[in-house]
Amino acid sequence: MKILVCISSVPDTTSKINFTADKSAFDKNGIQWVINPWDEFALSKAVKLQADGTTVTVINVGDATTEPVIRKALAIGANDAIRINTEPKDSFSVAKEIANVAQSGAYDLVLCGRESIDYNGGAVPGMVAQLLNQPFVNACVGLDVNGSEATAIREIEGGKETISVKLPAVIAGQKGLVEEKDLIIPNMRGIMSARSKPLTVNEPVNTEVKVDAVSYDSVPARAAVKMVSPDNLDELVRLLHEEAKVI
């Protein structure tokens, strides 16, 4: 079996987010980049399925600055990697590149996180499935593969739903696809071996973009906290009524 795992390079959650002076783009200066956390669940699951000759390839759509993140994915246990040498423009253009590789490589299973934590669009996995004309299961918290069939579990309102799909298929996972304690942390042997694993760089096959970001704005700063004396309930009520407007 061949598994293709989609990896996004995203800012670390502790990074301070800024935009360029004209607000036309995200300012990458000083940002620490990591594997998208939802993709880490997918990658750890894929590596755990590496029995009986299963191979795991990671794919990233991004420029050369994403290669340290790709190497980390290889250190976690992927066999090889493909980088599509282009700056991600929108969900459609990214999905188009992934679908092209999945189709030409005849992968049995495409695994990805349900969304990336930078733009939170959540559109790429479904678009990949549509472009490949394959079954798609989103937000999975469990996955078993038996021969040519995958059984996925996903959370629904008030419970869980178990779905069986024939491979090839696209599965988008989230926290629970593997337990957090089972997320694979690269060890020294993995880090050393990742240096020599194949990383193929392909040029993009698609230039069509469906969405163009006009501008970015930061979230307004929170108002300062007002301290009210425990003995001054009248003032507390006034603030809740006149300023917070919650009563």
Side-chain angles (χ1 to χ4, degrees), residues 96-110:
K96 194 83 172 177
E97 299 299 338
I98 294 171
N100 177 66
V101 170
Q103 192 163 42
S104 61
Y107 290 90
D108 303 287
L109 180 62
V110 176

Side-chain angles (χ1 to χ4, degrees), residues 55-129:
T55 61
V56 176
T57 299
V58 294
I59 180 171
N60 168 259
V61 179
D63 59 25
T65 62
T66 66
E67 291 198 1
V69 166
I70 297 174
R71 288 294 176 192
K72 181 182 178 183
L74 292 170
I76 287 173
N79 299 90
D80 58 358
I82 299 170
R83 179 172 67 82
I84 307 300
N85 189 30
T86 184
E87 183 82 14
K89 302 293 191 310
D90 67 353
S91 298
F92 175 77
S93 61
V94 172
K96 194 83 172 177
E97 299 299 338
I98 294 171
N100 177 66
V101 170
Q103 192 163 42
S104 61
Y107 290 90
D108 303 287
L109 180 62
V110 176
L111 277 176
C112 43
R114 69 176 189 186
E115 63 184 1
S116 60
I117 65 166
D118 47 4
Y119 292 96
N120 299 104
V124 170
M127 286 183 176
V128 171

Side-chain angles (χ1 to χ4, degrees), residues 9 11 16 33 71 76 83 95 103 106 121 138 161 173 181 199 223 234:
S9 177
K16 185 176 181 180
W33 299 92
R71 288 294 176 192
I76 287 173
R83 179 172 67 82
Q103 192 163 42
N138 195 20
E161 180 183 39
K181 64 180 178 59
L199 196 170
D234 290 341

Side-chain angles (χ1 to χ4, degrees), residues 6-93:
C6 309
I7 296 294
S8 289
S9 177
V10 299
D12 186 277
T13 52
T14 61
S15 299
K16 185 176 181 180
I17 303 302
N18 293 309
F19 301 109
T20 55
D22 62 359
K23 298 184 178 181
S24 64
F26 172 60
D27 186 355
K28 298 180 180 179
N29 290 318
I31 297 295
Q32 179 71 34
W33 299 92
V34 298
I35 299 176
N36 178 46
W38 300 127
D39 298 342
E40 275 199 88
F41 286 99
L43 177 58
S44 290
K45 183 64 182 181
V47 171
K48 292 179 184 299
L49 292 171
Q50 269 178 326
D52 303 325
T54 293
T55 61
V56 176
T57 299
V58 294
I59 180 171
N60 168 259
V61 179
D63 59 25
T65 62
T66 66
E67 291 198 1
V69 166
I70 297 174
R71 288 294 176 192
K72 181 182 178 183
L74 292 170
I76 287 173
N79 299 90
D80 58 358
I82 299 170
R83 179 172 67 82
I84 307 300
N85 189 30
T86 184
E87 183 82 14
K89 302 293 191 310
D90 67 353
S91 298
F92 175 77
S93 61

